[in-house]
């Protein structure tokens, strides 16, 4: 798997415990000169990464993080805004949104391991992931209003769904940074980990997810995301139909049999 090589991405593959071929992908966005800001080239590399990830049955968990100590991602690349027309900006926003939606619909868990600044497009990328695990040094903001802009990669859409309208309006309209403990308190992140233990603990979390039935995790993602886009009754209908799909899977046979035989399931 060492053949995966995309500009501005550093990719490590970690073996999954008790599983011969399954892998955790640890992907670091790397543009140290710009605090890992999302240039067009970075977005193109992420798209190519997803092209492979979407087809690779060995992938169990994808972790996205920022290279270096200082930033996860400091936003979209502001330097590339200078020469952008309003039409091109709208198209860029649509492209970014479509790309981030692919992380949301990837049939595998995606963890954003936020190890520093997650600003603007960086926070928007993190929110398109299933889990956000923050290091104690993480800082979050939607600072677009300080640039005369608004979030364009899904920030005004996903933030209120995660933390509620009041806090989302506050973050987007002040542009102020919040620290990891505050992000945990308002439900923006799942967990906060001391910097020294960050990678080990994120990997431990990824190992745990890798032991769960991958098909079931994929259906859970689908049920939760689809359910938020429709009425309660419709959402229940989607859940019931996906429950039926889970029931016909070999994973269900193995999971139930393992319980009855008092052993760990092998998915
Ligand atoms: N884009 C481009 N370069 C950046 C960015 C960025 N977002 N952030 C930092 N850099 C560069 C700096 O310009 C600097 O480069 P240089 O040394 O060449 O001047 C280098 O990274 C280091 O940065 P600083 O010297 O500023 O480091 P500090 O520690 O002093 O400050 C901060 C760190 C607070 C993170 C500061 O760099 C900052 O405020 N960055 C900008 C954060 C921001 O506003 N992000 C939001 C961008 S807008 C956005 O994300 C919109 C998304 C939707 C787009 C829709 C499509 C159009």
């Amino acid at each position: 798997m060492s053949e995966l090589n995309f500009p501005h991405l550093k990719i490590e593959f970690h073996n999954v415990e008790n599983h011969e071929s399954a892998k955790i992908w640890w992907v670091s966005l790397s543009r140290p000169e710009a605090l890992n800001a999302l240039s067009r080239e970075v977005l193109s590399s992420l798209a190519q990464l997803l092209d492979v990830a979407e087809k690779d049955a060995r992938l169990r968990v994808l972790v996205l993080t920022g290279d270096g100590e200082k930033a996860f991602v400091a936003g979209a690349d502001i330097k590339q805004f200078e020469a952008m027309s309003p039409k091109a900006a709208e198209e860029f926003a649509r492209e970014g949104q479509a790309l981030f939606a692919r992380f949301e619909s990837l049939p595998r868990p995606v963890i954003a391991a936020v190890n520093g600044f997650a600003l603007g497009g960086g926070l928007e990328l993190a929110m398109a992931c299933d889990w956000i695990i923050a290091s104690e040094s993480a800082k979050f903001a939607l600072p677009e209003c300080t640039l005369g802009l608004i979030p364009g990669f899904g920030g005004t859409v996903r933030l209120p769904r995660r933390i509620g309208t009041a806090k989302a309006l506050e973050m987007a309209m002040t542009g102020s940074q919040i620290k990891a403990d505050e992000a945990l308190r308002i439900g923006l992140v799942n967990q906060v980990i001391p910097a020294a233990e960050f990678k080990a603990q994120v990997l431990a979390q990824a190992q745990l997810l890798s032991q769960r039935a991958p098909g079931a995790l994929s259906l859970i993602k689908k049920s939760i995301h689809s359910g938020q886009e429709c009425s309660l009754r419709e959402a229940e209908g989607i859940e019931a139909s996906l429950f039926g799909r889970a029931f016909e899977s070999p994973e269900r046979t193995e999971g139930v049999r393992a319980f009855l035989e008092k052993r760990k399931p092998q998915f």
Side-chain angles (χ1 to χ4, degrees):
M1 306 208 44
S2 52
E3 73 276 14
L4 284 193
N5 193 1
F6 307 115
H8 307 302
L9 298 185
K10 293 184 179 173
I11 308 174
E12 291 170 15
F13 301 103
H14 294 262
N15 293 329
V16 169
E17 288 154 14
N18 307 319
H19 204 291
E20 263 175 34
S21 59
K23 300 281 176 204
I24 294 162
W25 296 13
W26 182 275
V27 179
S28 305
L29 287 100
S30 182
R31 280 188 75 211
E33 72 286 3
L35 300 182
N36 307 328
L38 299 170
S39 60
R40 284 194 170 281
E41 297 73 35
V42 175
L43 293 192
S44 161
S45 287
L46 287 173
Q48 291 173 66
L49 175 85
L50 282 162
D51 290 342
V52 185
E54 284 162 354
K55 293 192 203 98
D56 194 324
R58 294 164 297 179
L59 168 65
R60 283 295 171 107
V61 175
L62 177 64
V63 181
L64 281 184
T65 192
D67 196 21
E69 308 279 295
K70 201 167 162 183
F72 171 68
V73 169
D77 190 319
I78 299 170
K79 287 172 190 161
Q80 293 188 345
F81 287 173
E82 284 246 85
M84 217 178 256
S85 69
K87 181 93 186 106
E90 182 180 333
E91 273 163 22
F92 189 47
R94 287 186 201 284
E95 277 168 35
Q97 289 170 354
L99 177 70
F100 289 8
R102 288 174 70 190
F103 286 105
E104 209 163 63
S105 52
L106 190 74
R108 293 289 175 266
V110 184
I111 298 175
V114 176
N115 51 328
F117 291 113
L119 308 179
L123 175 53
E124 292 171 306
L125 176 59
M127 288 191 293
C129 300
D130 302 308
W131 290 32
I132 305 179
I133 304 183
S135 114
E136 274 176 345
S137 62
K139 292 195 183 75
F140 303 85
L142 289 179
E144 287 86 347
C145 63
T146 68
L147 299 165
L149 289 171
I150 74 164
F153 290 158
T156 62
V157 182
R158 289 197 179 88
L159 192 61
R161 282 170 165 78
R162 272 192 180 247
I163 65 170
T165 310
K167 276 282 165 198
L169 282 165
E170 185 182 322
M171 282 186 73
M173 294 175 82
T174 60
S176 302
Q177 290 179 13
I178 61 167
K179 292 185 177 162
D181 55 350
E182 172 71 353
L184 183 66
R185 196 185 66 77
I186 62 176
L188 178 57
V189 306
N190 298 75
Q191 227 176 318
V192 179
I193 293 173
E197 300 157 30
F198 189 59
K199 186 166 184 182
Q201 285 211 34
V202 174
L203 276 172
Q205 221 31 286
Q207 286 289 354
L208 184 142
L209 288 171
S210 299
Q211 300 304 321
R212 302 295 181 250
L217 298 193
S218 152
L219 296 176
I220 287 167
K221 276 184 76 159
K222 206 179 179 108
S223 191
I224 287 183
H225 289 309
S226 322
Q228 286 180 332
E229 286 163 22
C230 52
S231 74
L232 192 81
R233 291 287 96 79
E234 285 165 335
E236 284 177 337
I238 292 171
E239 185 188 68
S241 106
L242 294 175
F243 185 79
R245 267 177 49 195
F247 225 78
E248 70 190 9
S249 72
E251 286 179 358
R252 192 270 306 191
T253 313
E254 166 61 6
V256 172
R257 190 168 293 156
F259 176 80
L260 297 174
E261 292 171 2
K262 300 190 186 303
R263 61 174 173 83
K264 276 194 170 178
Q266 185 67 35
F267 296 119

